[in-house]
Amino acid sequence: MSTLINTKLVGLDENLGETSSDVIRALAARVAADGRAGSAESLADDAIKREASVGTGVPGGIAIPHARSSSVSEPTLAMSRLARKVPFGAPDGDADIVFMIAVPEGADADHMTVLSTLARALIRDDFTAALRAAATPADVVALVDAEVGGEVDAARGVTGTIAPAAGSAGQNSGSDSGHRVKLVGVTACPTGIAHTYMAADALVAAAKRLGADLQIETQGSGRVTPLDPAVIEAADAVIFAVDVDVRDRGRFAGKPLVQGPVKRGVDEPTAMVEEAIAASTDPRAARVTGSVASGPAMAQGRRGFGSSLKTWLLTGVSYMIPFVAGGGLLIALGFLLSGFGIALTADGHTVNNAVYALQNYSLANLPPEGLWYYLGAAAFQIGGASMGFLVAALAGYIAYAIADRPGIAPGFVAGAIAVFMNAGFLGGLVGGLLAGAAAYYIGKLDVPRFVRGLMPVVIIPLFASIFASGLMLLFLGGPIASLMKALTDFLNGLSGSGAILLGVILGLMMCFDLGGPVNKVAYAFAVAGLSAGSVDNPAPWMIMAAVMGAGMVPPLAMALASTVLYRKGFSQVERTNGGAAWLLGASFISEGAIPFAAADPLRVIPASMVGGAVTGAISMAAGVTSQAPHGGFFVFFAIGNLLMWTVAILSGTVVTAVVLVALKRFVRRRPVGADEKEAASAAAVVDQREPVAV
């Protein structure tokens, strides 16, 4: 471990100044003097900037200033035992032991593991006591070597997961009932070097003292192993000790939440765990918002290929939607202000009318059509630029879902090549999968240590791009482009019964599981095809209109049935939910019908599917178009033939509501608990000495 620290980088019982900045500058100069940083000032400035955002002092008289800096050539530790304590922002006083961690940009994961292990050791009393007792710099170096030796192979710092032994001392929330509170958490700091891992260890230790089970996902600079979805599902509450966004936050959606800065996880771990235990049984506790979504699936390696493939594709679609939403609405606004002619080429122009207007006129020199036409041209052009990223974003974030950050660059490049080859969104799907797989497997190669720092910034993007984009350009792009052309021609040729049948199928899919996998497949199909829509090729816009309209039917129908048509057939809670479902349905939030479906699935789901099929059929038959992927009636200006779209939605809503009311009135539902009572009666006469096969 001598590559991290040596005796020249250690000072004992010295005076380095009165402020944290003085100490940091002295240690930065020590790192530069040892040839490990090109500029002491640059390193010091980076560390002081980091210190200003969150103090690096921790309980016990310890400080761990740290920074990533382009001036650093290799991961380095510099240490000082101060003769006079200096304030670093710790809650219990000033620090007399200071470890400065200096890390170059792109430091490899093994070094991150070692540094995080050292950071964790610094909150242990035995380790800090040994540092205070050290007689020479060589003793300090030996202590550090002994602490971090073997940690790269053991990879102890990857995931902070510790479950307390049964019967551990301390308070035990729920011990009277025999239930151990199960908690999960995430720790993350801006640099992901020290506080991320120290907070994880402190929280896990506090949970052990309090008799709770806590598993922590450390989202630091090293390798991140996501928590098992089954562990998250079983958790009673969540702790976020973070200074940055939680990656894939949607995995924890709906769980009671305690959140604070990462430093609180270091300074007040017991308080955070106690709050989480209390929140686990408090119906009024704050909860994690968002929708459930998974992170990089190939890296998790816990699911089958089919399930992982669905996750990768839906991740790409979810990240692509903002490009589609913003771009589509801007294009629609351009049409609203300037007319559809803004997209056409006329009067001998070599570019479309929007580009011609923007190139030849300005706000001070408006075109003959006037100000609104000019502003419409600007909106159309900005929207077109946003839509131009659609395929690249789809491919880039599919690759991200597979390989995490190293997959983004090769994925975007593969998506751009798909656009160049006219391979459309199908090309983006294939390119993203190829780029993600290449980045993932290249990243797993066992390469020499001196190469590892180059892997995420040079080697993986280079070779994954060559592999994925090369295959697209030389072999796959042409056939996929032909397939896309055939699909486009097929959709353009749909008319009459063919279009209606497609609308029926899409409507049924949208209402089958109200935001579940089948619903998402139909929605993803519509959104992914939006980029191919145009004035001359409206079929993708028609599909989007049918999908969005059908998805609005279930909540609107639940609202109509529960608040207008048949109030007595619904509980007070359902009637209250019905009032909210009006707005949810109008906004295209299909999940507004879930409370009704959960209470009575065998009547709500079939009724919703019938109405969704009606809406999809009418929308497709009338040629309604939508250039927006979301928003419902609030994006009315993006809807072509708004009147017929409204008629389609109202028709489906009425049909669903009437069918549901009829089912509730004339199809009796078994009383709650009837099955259980029958089962209990049957069990009473069964010889319990023999198992009964059902």
Side-chain angles (χ1 to χ4, degrees):
M1 293 298 125
S2 59
T3 56
L4 283 174
I5 189 171
N6 58 49
T7 55
K8 296 178 183 178
L9 296 168
V10 178
L12 300 180
D13 305 318
E14 54 187 351
N15 187 348
L16 298 184
E18 298 180 355
T19 68
S20 59
S21 296
D22 293 336
V23 175
I24 289 172
R25 292 193 184 281
L27 293 177
R30 191 171 291 170
V31 173
D34 197 43
R36 294 164 175 260
S39 169
E41 287 192 7
S42 177
L43 171 58
D45 288 344
D46 290 335
I48 291 170
K49 181 179 179 181
R50 168 67 183 85
E51 191 73 25
S53 63
V54 180
T56 57
V58 297
I62 309 297
I64 315 174
H66 52 274
R68 291 179 177 274
S69 177
S70 58
S71 65
V72 178
S73 57
E74 60 180 300
T76 300
L77 299 173
M79 182 268 188
S80 176
R81 190 172 68 197
L82 301 175
R84 182 174 62 181
K85 291 187 175 184
V86 173
F88 274 83
D92 63 343
D94 300 341
D96 63 338
I97 293 181
V98 182
F99 266 91
M100 182 174 182
I101 303 176
V103 181
E105 295 291 347
D108 64 82
D110 284 351
H111 272 119
M112 292 297 98
T113 299
V114 174
L115 295 174
S116 67
T117 302
L118 177 66
R120 286 169 149 169
L122 287 169
I123 62 174
R124 294 204 330 260
D125 292 341
D126 60 333
F127 185 65
T128 55
L131 290 173
R132 289 191 171 93
T136 66
D139 293 339
V140 173
V141 172
L143 283 169
V144 173
D145 285 354
E147 183 63 34
V148 301
E151 283 303 308
V152 172
D153 293 333
R156 174 175 175 265
V158 173
T159 305
T161 301
I162 301 177
S168 57
Q171 304 171 31
N172 188 350
S173 177
S175 60
D176 293 340
S177 63
H179 171 68
R180 296 176 65 86
V181 176
K182 292 181 172 60
L183 306 175
V184 292
V186 174
T187 59
C189 65
T191 52
I193 298 172
H195 283 76
T196 297
Y197 304 95
M198 296 167 68
D201 274 5
L203 288 166
V204 168
K208 184 175 182 178
R209 290 193 301 271
L210 294 170
D213 294 339
L214 172 60
Q215 297 195 41
I216 293 283
E217 179 180 310
T218 51
Q219 296 186 355
S221 295
R223 299 183 184 94
V224 177
T225 299
L227 288 167
D228 190 323
V231 171
I232 297 174
E233 178 65 26
D236 299 307
V238 178
I239 298 173
F240 289 161
V242 296
D243 292 329
V244 295
D245 289 339
V246 174
R247 303 178 201 171
D248 302 318
R249 183 187 182 99
R251 294 172 294 159
F252 306 92
K255 297 289 184 182
L257 171 66
V258 171
Q259 181 165 351
V262 69
K263 200 166 188 302
R264 190 182 180 217
V266 179
D267 298 341
E268 304 175 24
T270 301
M272 292 195 80
V273 173
E274 287 176 340
E275 291 171 17
I277 291 172
S280 68
T281 57
D282 184 357
R284 298 170 297 177
R287 294 181 181 269
V288 182
T289 58
S291 57
V292 178
S294 296
M298 183 176 282
Q300 292 180 30
R302 293 189 180 98
R303 292 177 289 184
F305 178 78
S307 177
S308 296
L309 178 63
K310 181 185 73 174
T311 298
W312 302 333
L313 298 182
L314 291 180
T315 298
V317 170
S318 68
Y319 279 99
M320 176 190 72
I321 285 175
F323 292 94
V324 181
L329 290 173
L330 282 167
I331 290 174
L333 184 60
F335 288 152
L336 180 67
L337 295 175
S338 306
F340 284 98
I342 197 69
L344 304 178
T345 299
D347 301 331
H349 302 163
T350 58
V351 295
N352 64 45
N353 289 332
V355 174
Y356 180 82
L358 293 171
Q359 287 179 344
N360 293 278
Y361 298 98
S362 68
L363 287 172
N365 176 34
L366 292 172
E369 294 84 354
L371 174 63
W372 294 116
Y373 183 88
Y374 184 73
L375 293 178
F380 178 85
Q381 200 59 33
I382 296 170
S386 178
M387 293 290 283
F389 287 103
L390 189 151
V391 175
L394 175 66
Y397 287 106
I398 288 174
Y400 161 75
I402 298 172
D404 213 332
R405 293 183 183 181
I408 292 178
F412 266 83
V413 174
I417 293 298
V419 173
F420 172 75
M421 297 294 292
N422 295 317
F425 79 90
L426 286 180
L429 295 177
V430 174
L433 292 171
L434 290 173
Y440 176 77
Y441 285 111
I442 293 173
K444 289 178 68 69
L445 293 176
D446 186 13
V447 298
R449 180 176 294 275
F450 72 90
V451 177
R452 291 177 188 170
L454 298 175
M455 289 290 285
V457 294
V458 177
I459 295 174
I460 294 177
L462 172 63
F463 288 100
S465 295
I466 291 174
F467 174 79
S469 297
L471 283 178
M472 288 294 299
L473 196 61
L474 300 177
F475 301 103
L476 301 177
I480 295 175
S482 298
L483 180 60
M484 275 297 298
K485 184 177 184 305
L487 178 61
T488 301
D489 292 342
F490 168 74
L491 292 176
N492 286 336
L494 282 177
S495 60
S497 60
I500 293 173
L501 177 60
L502 179 59
V504 169
I505 294 172
L506 293 173
L508 291 171
M509 293 177 69
M510 287 300 295
C511 298
F512 177 73
D513 51 5
L514 305 175
V518 176
N519 171 286
K520 282 184 169 61
V521 167
Y523 182 66
F525 170 69
V527 172
L530 267 182
S531 62
S534 67
V535 177
D536 299 325
N537 175 28
W541 294 348
M542 292 168 58
I543 291 172
M544 189 72 252
V547 163
M548 183 155 61
M552 294 165 65
V553 165
L556 289 174
M558 297 306 108
L560 178 62
S562 63
T563 65
V564 178
L565 298 182
Y566 192 47
R567 291 175 56 85
K568 67 179 183 180
F570 296 85
S571 68
Q572 179 59 47
V573 173
E574 288 176 321
R575 290 196 294 271
T576 301
N577 288 333
W582 285 113
L583 179 59
L584 295 174
S587 306
F588 180 38
I589 301 176
S590 302
E591 289 83 352
I594 287 179
F596 298 89
D600 192 3
L602 295 181
R603 290 189 282 198
V604 170
I605 295 295
S608 296
M609 292 175 67
V610 172
V614 169
T615 295
I618 295 175
S619 179
M620 290 294 289
V624 179
T625 61
S626 172
Q627 293 160 257
H630 214 288
F633 285 119
F634 294 96
V635 292
F636 63 92
F637 57 87
I639 306 297
N641 200 346
L642 178 61
L643 175 61
M644 284 306 301
W645 193 59
T646 304
V647 169
I649 294 170
L650 292 178
S651 300
T653 298
V654 171
V655 167
T656 291
V658 170
V659 171
L660 178 59
V661 169
L663 290 174
K664 281 184 172 291
R665 292 190 63 182
F666 303 115
V667 178
R668 293 180 57 82
R669 184 173 61 167
R670 293 176 65 81
V672 176
D675 290 336
E676 290 82 352
K677 291 178 180 178
E678 287 187 9
S681 298
V685 296
V686 172
D687 185 353
Q688 297 184 11
R689 293 172 298 175
E690 297 293 335
V692 178
V694 179

